[in-house]
């Protein structure tokens, strides 16, 4: 709006313009606050991400160091395995030599003399027709029948 147009406006119209400008300034102030809050949130998120990234970098560094230590350990263990293989070959040579030249066999141990067995004792004879365990024999028509103690005539 030009100066001439502004001078031609009346009091009421000027007040209306001031009121509209105040509302616009208030709206823009709120937008500014909202954008400031969003900016702060983004900066906080950025800082959190930066901290997490630093933490991850530290973990990667630690893992690399442990990996290098394991590799160095593995290289020494490969050397140890080589030494073990040499020792195993030497032992195989010793065992082969032992197979070719076995030691003289030891004489078998002399068995201890066995004690003489005691003579068997006989029980006194039982009544005629009875055997051990209460057995009873009975002959009838050329056949022998055995009766046990619980069987009766």
């Amino acid at each position: 709006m030009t100066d001439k147009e502004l001078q031609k406006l009346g009091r009421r119209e000027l007040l209306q313009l001031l009121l509209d400008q105040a509302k616009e300034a208030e709206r823009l102030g709120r937008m500014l606050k909202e954008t400031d809050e969003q900016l702060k949130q983004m900066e906080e998120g950025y800082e959190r991400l930066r901290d997490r990234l630093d933490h991850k970098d530290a973990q990667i560094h630690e893992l690399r160091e442990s990996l290098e230590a394991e590799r160095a350990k593995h290289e020494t263990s490969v050397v140890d395995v080589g030494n073990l293989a040499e020792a195993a070959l030497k032992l195989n040579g010793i065992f082969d030599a032992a197979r070719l030249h076995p030691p003289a066999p030891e004489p078998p141990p002399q068995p201890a003399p066995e004690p003489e067995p005691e003579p068997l004792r006989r029980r006194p004879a039982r009544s005629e027709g009875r055997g051990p365990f209460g057995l009873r024999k009975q002959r009838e028509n050329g056949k022998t029948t055995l009766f046990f103690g619980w069987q009766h005539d």
Side-chain angles (χ1 to χ4, degrees):
M1 191 178 275
T2 62
D3 286 338
K4 285 185 182 180
E5 291 175 344
L6 193 58
Q7 288 176 356
K8 288 182 183 179
L9 292 177
R11 192 180 249 181
R12 187 171 233 178
E13 291 168 337
L14 285 174
L15 285 173
Q16 185 64 36
L17 276 175
L18 284 174
L19 187 60
D20 289 340
Q21 284 181 348
K23 286 180 181 178
E24 182 69 17
E26 195 175 308
R27 185 183 68 80
L28 291 174
R30 279 183 286 174
M31 277 182 55
L32 181 62
K33 282 184 182 180
E34 288 174 5
T35 17
D36 282 344
E37 287 177 15
Q38 288 176 352
L39 179 63
K40 284 182 183 179
Q41 288 175 354
M42 289 178 73
E43 286 176 348
E44 289 172 1
Y46 173 74
E47 288 299 319
R48 281 194 306 263
L49 288 175
R50 177 180 266 170
D51 291 340
R52 287 179 60 193
L53 183 60
D54 290 343
H55 180 71
K56 295 293 181 183
D57 285 343
Q59 282 182 335
I60 289 171
H61 182 69
E62 289 174 12
L63 288 173
R64 279 188 181 155
E65 287 178 353
S66 65
L67 181 63
E68 289 174 7
E70 286 294 321
R71 282 183 181 160
K73 189 179 188 182
H74 178 69
E75 288 173 3
T76 58
S77 68
V78 168
V79 172
D80 291 343
V81 169
N83 293 339
L84 288 175
E86 290 174 14
L89 288 174
K90 287 179 184 177
L91 282 176
N92 282 339
I94 292 170
F95 288 134
D96 289 340
R99 276 191 231 133
L100 293 174
H101 306 290
E106 294 180 16
Q110 296 293 330
E114 293 183 18
E116 292 184 25
E118 293 183 20
L120 295 175
R121 293 186 215 154
R122 297 196 93 201
R123 290 189 180 173
R126 297 189 180 175
S127 62
E128 195 60 37
R130 290 205 174 236
F133 308 110
L135 291 176
R136 202 169 33 132
K137 290 183 185 178
Q138 186 177 19
R139 288 187 179 236
E140 194 175 288
N141 298 331
K143 294 183 181 179
T144 304
T145 308
L146 292 175
F147 293 98
F148 291 96
W150 51 270
Q151 293 176 333
H152 298 286
D153 291 336

